[in-house]
Protein backbone atom coordinates (compact mmCIF):
# COMPACT_ATOMS: atom_id res chain seq x y z
CA UNK A 1 0.00 0.00 0.00
CA UNK A 2 2.72 2.51 0.95
CA UNK A 3 4.20 2.63 -2.57
CA UNK A 4 0.87 3.90 -3.91
CA UNK A 5 0.36 6.61 -1.31
CA UNK A 6 2.05 9.62 -2.81
CA UNK A 7 0.91 13.20 -2.42
CA UNK A 8 -0.25 13.16 -6.03
CA UNK A 9 -2.09 9.84 -5.96
CA UNK A 10 -4.03 10.72 -2.81
CA UNK A 11 -4.96 14.30 -3.75
CA UNK A 12 -8.65 15.14 -3.80
CA UNK A 13 -10.56 18.43 -4.02
CA UNK A 14 -13.70 19.75 -2.41
CA UNK A 15 -15.41 23.14 -2.52
CA UNK A 16 -16.64 24.58 0.79
CA UNK A 17 -18.26 28.03 1.01
CA UNK A 18 -16.77 28.92 -2.35
CA UNK A 19 -13.24 27.84 -1.34
CA UNK A 20 -11.48 25.08 -3.27
CA UNK A 21 -9.79 22.93 -0.63
CA UNK A 22 -7.25 20.15 -1.15
CA UNK A 23 -7.24 17.01 0.93
CA UNK A 24 -5.47 13.66 0.72
CA UNK A 25 -7.51 10.48 1.06
CA UNK A 26 -6.43 6.88 1.63
CA UNK A 27 -7.63 3.81 3.46
CA UNK A 28 -10.99 2.49 4.58
CA UNK A 29 -12.77 2.11 7.87
CA UNK A 30 -13.83 4.77 10.38
CA UNK A 31 -13.16 8.26 8.96
CA UNK A 32 -10.24 10.16 10.49
CA UNK A 33 -9.68 13.84 9.62
CA UNK A 34 -6.09 15.02 10.20
CA UNK A 35 -5.48 18.75 10.73
CA UNK A 36 -2.02 20.28 10.38
CA UNK A 37 -0.48 23.06 12.44
CA UNK A 38 0.61 26.48 11.26
CA UNK A 39 4.02 27.65 10.13
CA UNK A 40 6.12 28.43 7.07
CA UNK A 41 5.44 26.05 4.18
CA UNK A 42 3.04 23.89 6.14
CA UNK A 43 0.51 21.58 4.53
CA UNK A 44 -1.44 18.51 5.47
CA UNK A 45 0.98 16.28 3.56
CA UNK A 46 4.06 17.88 5.16
CA UNK A 47 2.62 17.12 8.59
CA UNK A 48 1.13 13.67 8.10
CA UNK A 49 2.13 12.23 4.73
CA UNK A 50 4.70 9.89 6.28
CA UNK A 51 2.11 8.54 8.74
CA UNK A 52 -0.50 7.82 6.09
CA UNK A 53 0.61 4.28 5.10
CA UNK A 54 0.20 2.99 8.67
CA UNK A 55 -2.94 4.92 9.61
CA UNK A 56 -4.65 4.08 6.30
CA UNK A 57 -4.50 0.40 7.26
CA UNK A 58 -7.11 1.13 9.94
CA UNK A 59 -8.97 4.30 8.93
CA UNK A 60 -10.33 6.26 6.02
CA UNK A 61 -7.80 9.06 6.37
CA UNK A 62 -8.64 12.57 5.19
CA UNK A 63 -5.66 14.97 5.47
CA UNK A 64 -6.98 18.47 4.92
CA UNK A 65 -5.08 21.54 3.79
CA UNK A 66 -6.84 24.14 5.90
CA UNK A 67 -7.92 27.40 4.19
CA UNK A 68 -4.94 29.43 3.01
CA UNK A 69 -2.42 26.64 3.64
CA UNK A 70 -0.93 24.10 1.26
CA UNK A 71 -2.87 24.17 -2.00
CA UNK A 72 -6.19 25.24 -0.49
CA UNK A 73 -7.84 28.53 -1.34
CA UNK A 74 -8.40 31.27 1.20
CA UNK A 75 -11.08 33.89 1.82
CA UNK A 76 -10.38 37.25 0.24
CA UNK A 77 -10.72 38.82 3.69
CA UNK A 78 -10.33 37.14 7.08
CA UNK A 79 -13.36 38.68 8.79
CA UNK A 80 -13.31 36.54 11.94
CA UNK A 81 -11.02 34.41 14.02
CA UNK A 82 -9.13 32.01 11.75
CA UNK A 83 -9.97 29.04 13.98
CA UNK A 84 -13.63 29.54 13.08
CA UNK A 85 -12.84 29.76 9.38
CA UNK A 86 -10.93 26.47 9.61
CA UNK A 87 -13.57 24.80 11.79
CA UNK A 88 -16.24 25.63 9.20
CA UNK A 89 -14.01 24.06 6.54
CA UNK A 90 -13.86 20.81 8.55
CA UNK A 91 -17.64 20.65 8.88
CA UNK A 92 -17.95 21.52 5.18
CA UNK A 93 -15.62 18.64 4.29
CA UNK A 94 -17.74 16.20 6.32
CA UNK A 95 -20.89 17.54 4.68
CA UNK A 96 -19.50 17.26 1.16
CA UNK A 97 -18.38 13.69 1.79
CA UNK A 98 -21.71 12.88 3.47
CA UNK A 99 -20.02 11.81 6.68
CA UNK A 100 -22.26 12.20 9.75
CA UNK A 101 -19.20 12.12 12.03
CA UNK A 102 -15.47 11.40 12.13
CA UNK A 103 -12.51 11.13 14.45
CA UNK A 104 -10.38 14.29 14.48
CA UNK A 105 -6.61 14.43 14.92
CA UNK A 106 -5.11 17.91 15.23
CA UNK A 107 -1.51 19.07 15.59
CA UNK A 108 -0.79 22.49 17.17
CA UNK A 109 -3.16 24.98 15.49
CA UNK A 110 -4.99 21.99 14.05
CA UNK A 111 -5.56 20.80 17.62
CA UNK A 112 -7.24 24.10 18.42
CA UNK A 113 -9.44 23.74 15.33
CA UNK A 114 -10.35 20.15 16.26
CA UNK A 115 -11.24 21.23 19.79
CA UNK A 116 -13.46 24.06 18.54
CA UNK A 117 -15.26 21.70 16.16
CA UNK A 118 -15.87 19.22 18.99
CA UNK A 119 -17.12 21.93 21.35
CA UNK A 120 -19.60 23.40 18.88
CA UNK A 121 -20.48 20.37 16.73
CA UNK A 122 -20.19 17.54 19.25
CA UNK A 123 -22.42 15.13 17.33
CA UNK A 124 -20.10 15.35 14.30
CA UNK A 125 -17.00 14.28 16.24
CA UNK A 126 -16.27 10.79 17.53
CA UNK A 127 -12.91 10.70 19.34
CA UNK A 128 -10.25 13.40 19.49
CA UNK A 129 -6.47 13.16 19.28
CA UNK A 130 -4.84 16.46 20.25
CA UNK A 131 -1.10 16.67 19.62
CA UNK A 132 0.43 19.65 21.46
CA UNK A 133 -2.75 21.60 20.68
CA UNK A 134 -2.79 25.37 20.49
CA UNK A 135 -5.26 27.27 22.67
CA UNK A 136 -5.95 24.23 24.85
CA UNK A 137 -2.85 24.22 27.03
CA UNK A 138 -1.89 26.98 29.43
CA UNK A 139 1.82 27.77 29.65
CA UNK A 140 2.12 28.86 33.27
CA UNK A 141 5.91 28.58 33.62
CA UNK A 142 7.42 30.04 30.44
CA UNK A 143 7.13 33.29 28.51
CA UNK A 144 4.37 34.05 26.04
CA UNK A 145 4.68 33.85 23.13
CA UNK A 146 6.89 30.77 23.29
CA UNK A 147 10.29 30.55 21.64
CA UNK A 148 8.86 28.63 18.70
CA UNK A 149 6.08 31.14 18.07
CA UNK A 150 8.57 34.03 18.25
CA UNK A 151 10.77 32.37 15.61
CA UNK A 152 7.71 31.78 13.43
CA UNK A 153 6.70 35.44 13.66
CA UNK A 154 10.27 36.48 12.85
CA UNK A 155 10.03 34.50 9.61
CA UNK A 156 6.76 36.13 8.58
CA UNK A 157 8.48 39.54 8.89
CA UNK A 158 11.58 38.48 6.91
CA UNK A 159 11.25 35.12 5.13
CA UNK A 160 14.86 33.98 4.78
CA UNK A 161 16.49 30.55 4.90
CA UNK A 162 18.20 31.46 8.17
CA UNK A 163 14.90 32.36 9.77
CA UNK A 164 13.07 29.27 8.57
CA UNK A 165 15.96 27.20 9.95
CA UNK A 166 15.76 29.03 13.28
CA UNK A 167 12.05 28.21 13.43
CA UNK A 168 12.55 24.56 12.44
CA UNK A 169 15.15 24.12 15.18
CA UNK A 170 12.54 25.00 17.79
CA UNK A 171 10.25 22.31 16.42
CA UNK A 172 12.43 19.29 17.15
CA UNK A 173 14.52 17.66 19.85
CA UNK A 174 16.99 16.06 17.44
CA UNK A 175 18.20 18.55 14.83
CA UNK A 176 19.55 15.74 12.65
CA UNK A 177 15.98 15.45 11.37
CA UNK A 178 16.43 18.83 9.69
CA UNK A 179 18.02 17.72 6.44
CA UNK A 180 18.91 20.20 3.73
CA UNK A 181 16.10 18.72 1.63
CA UNK A 182 13.53 19.32 4.37
CA UNK A 183 14.74 22.88 4.93
CA UNK A 184 14.81 23.70 1.21
CA UNK A 185 11.35 22.20 0.64
CA UNK A 186 9.86 24.16 3.52
CA UNK A 187 11.54 27.37 2.40
CA UNK A 188 10.35 26.94 -1.19
CA UNK A 189 6.77 26.40 -0.07
CA UNK A 190 6.93 29.19 2.50
CA UNK A 191 8.48 31.78 0.17
CA UNK A 192 5.39 31.97 -2.01
CA UNK A 193 4.00 35.50 -1.41
CA UNK A 194 0.47 34.11 -1.22
CA UNK A 195 1.53 31.62 1.47
CA UNK A 196 3.25 34.38 3.49
CA UNK A 197 0.18 36.60 3.22
CA UNK A 198 -2.14 33.77 4.29
CA UNK A 199 0.02 32.99 7.33
CA UNK A 200 0.25 36.64 8.35
CA UNK A 201 -3.47 37.20 7.90
CA UNK A 202 -4.40 34.10 9.88
CA UNK A 203 -2.16 35.14 12.77
CA UNK A 204 -3.50 38.70 12.62
CA UNK A 205 -6.96 37.39 13.48
CA UNK A 206 -5.60 35.92 16.72
CA UNK A 207 -4.31 39.35 17.78
CA UNK A 208 -7.37 41.33 16.68
CA UNK A 209 -9.54 42.22 19.72
CA UNK A 210 -12.60 42.35 17.48
CA UNK A 211 -12.18 38.65 16.69
CA UNK A 212 -11.38 37.50 20.23
CA UNK A 213 -13.42 34.64 21.61
CA UNK A 214 -15.60 35.61 24.57
CA UNK A 215 -14.43 32.47 26.36
CA UNK A 216 -11.03 30.93 25.42
CA UNK A 217 -10.83 27.28 24.45
CA UNK A 218 -9.01 26.25 27.63
CA UNK A 219 -11.83 27.67 29.75
CA UNK A 220 -14.46 25.59 27.90
CA UNK A 221 -12.83 22.19 28.24
CA UNK A 222 -15.06 20.91 31.06
CA UNK A 223 -17.99 20.84 28.65
CA UNK A 224 -16.24 18.61 26.09
CA UNK A 225 -17.51 15.06 26.55
CA UNK A 226 -15.65 13.28 23.75
CA UNK A 227 -12.92 10.78 24.55
CA UNK A 228 -9.62 12.61 24.10
CA UNK A 229 -6.02 11.47 23.77
CA UNK A 230 -3.43 14.22 24.24
CA UNK A 231 0.07 13.63 22.90
CA UNK A 232 2.90 15.96 23.93
CA UNK A 233 6.65 16.06 23.39
CA UNK A 234 8.53 16.56 26.65
CA UNK A 235 10.96 18.93 24.90
CA UNK A 236 8.38 20.99 23.00
CA UNK A 237 9.53 24.62 22.60
CA UNK A 238 6.39 25.75 20.77
CA UNK A 239 3.64 24.58 23.13
CA UNK A 240 5.61 23.58 26.25
CA UNK A 241 4.69 20.32 27.94
CA UNK A 242 3.62 21.99 31.21
CA UNK A 243 0.71 23.39 29.22
CA UNK A 244 -0.78 19.89 29.25
CA UNK A 245 -1.47 19.98 32.99
CA UNK A 246 -4.61 22.10 32.91
CA UNK A 247 -6.42 20.31 30.06
CA UNK A 248 -5.47 16.92 31.50
CA UNK A 249 -7.44 17.87 34.62
CA UNK A 250 -10.25 19.82 32.97
CA UNK A 251 -11.19 17.43 30.18
CA UNK A 252 -13.54 14.85 31.75
CA UNK A 253 -12.57 11.96 29.41
CA UNK A 254 -8.92 12.59 28.55
CA UNK A 255 -5.68 10.63 28.67
CA UNK A 256 -2.27 12.28 28.39
CA UNK A 257 0.86 10.70 26.96
CA UNK A 258 4.21 12.46 27.22
CA UNK A 259 7.00 11.49 24.80
CA UNK A 260 10.64 11.85 25.83
CA UNK A 261 13.34 12.91 23.34
CA UNK A 262 10.67 14.73 21.38
CA UNK A 263 9.80 18.28 20.42
CA UNK A 264 6.66 19.65 18.76
CA UNK A 265 6.52 17.07 15.96
CA UNK A 266 5.55 13.88 17.80
CA UNK A 267 4.36 12.33 14.52
CA UNK A 268 7.86 12.71 13.06
CA UNK A 269 10.30 12.29 15.95
CA UNK A 270 8.38 9.43 17.59
CA UNK A 271 6.69 8.20 14.44
CA UNK A 272 6.10 4.53 15.30
CA UNK A 273 5.00 5.27 18.87
CA UNK A 274 2.69 8.00 17.62
CA UNK A 275 1.04 5.69 15.10
CA UNK A 276 0.60 2.93 17.71
CA UNK A 277 -0.89 5.35 20.24
CA UNK A 278 -3.36 6.80 17.73
CA UNK A 279 -4.42 3.41 16.39
CA UNK A 280 -4.83 1.86 19.84
CA UNK A 281 -6.88 4.79 21.12
CA UNK A 282 -9.18 5.08 18.14
CA UNK A 283 -9.84 1.33 17.87
CA UNK A 284 -10.14 0.56 21.59
CA UNK A 285 -13.48 -1.02 22.34
CA UNK A 286 -14.49 -1.30 18.70
Amino acid sequence: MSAELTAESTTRWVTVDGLKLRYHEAGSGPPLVLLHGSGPGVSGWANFGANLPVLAEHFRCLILDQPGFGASGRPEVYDRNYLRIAADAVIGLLDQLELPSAHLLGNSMGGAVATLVALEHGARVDRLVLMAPGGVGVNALGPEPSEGIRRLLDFTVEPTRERVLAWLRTMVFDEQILTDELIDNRLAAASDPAAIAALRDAYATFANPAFAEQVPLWARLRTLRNQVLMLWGRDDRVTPAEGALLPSRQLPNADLRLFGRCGHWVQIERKAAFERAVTDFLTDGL
Side-chain angles (χ1 to χ4, degrees), residues 147-148 151 165-172 236-238 264:
E147 179 188 6
R151 297 292 80 79
L165 178 57
W167 168 71
L168 286 169
R169 283 174 171 159
T170 69
M171 300 292 286
V172 299
D236 194 326
R237 292 150 64 187
V238 180
H264 195 55

Side-chain angles (χ1 to χ4, degrees), residues 37-98:
S38 63
V42 75
S43 68
W45 188 263
N47 260 201
F48 299 113
N51 308 114
L52 190 57
V54 171
L55 295 180
E57 293 179 0
H58 306 276
F59 311 104
R60 180 186 177 186
C61 295
L62 306 165
I63 305 177
L64 178 65
D65 280 357
Q66 297 178 74
F69 292 92
S72 287
R74 55 158 287 177
E76 291 186 12
V77 177
Y78 288 172
D79 58 357
R80 55 205 168 105
N81 190 296
Y82 179 80
L83 297 183
R84 293 196 168 272
I85 294 172
D88 286 349
V90 174
I91 294 299
L93 175 69
L94 297 182
D95 288 345
Q96 291 293 319
L97 298 180
E98 300 182 345

Side-chain angles (χ1 to χ4, degrees), residues 187-219:
L187 181 61
S191 297
D192 179 358
I196 295 172
L199 183 62
R200 287 175 178 166
D201 290 351
Y203 267 75
T205 70
F206 301 151
N208 188 335
F211 300 153
E213 295 290 309
Q214 291 188 345
V215 181
L217 286 179
W218 60 263

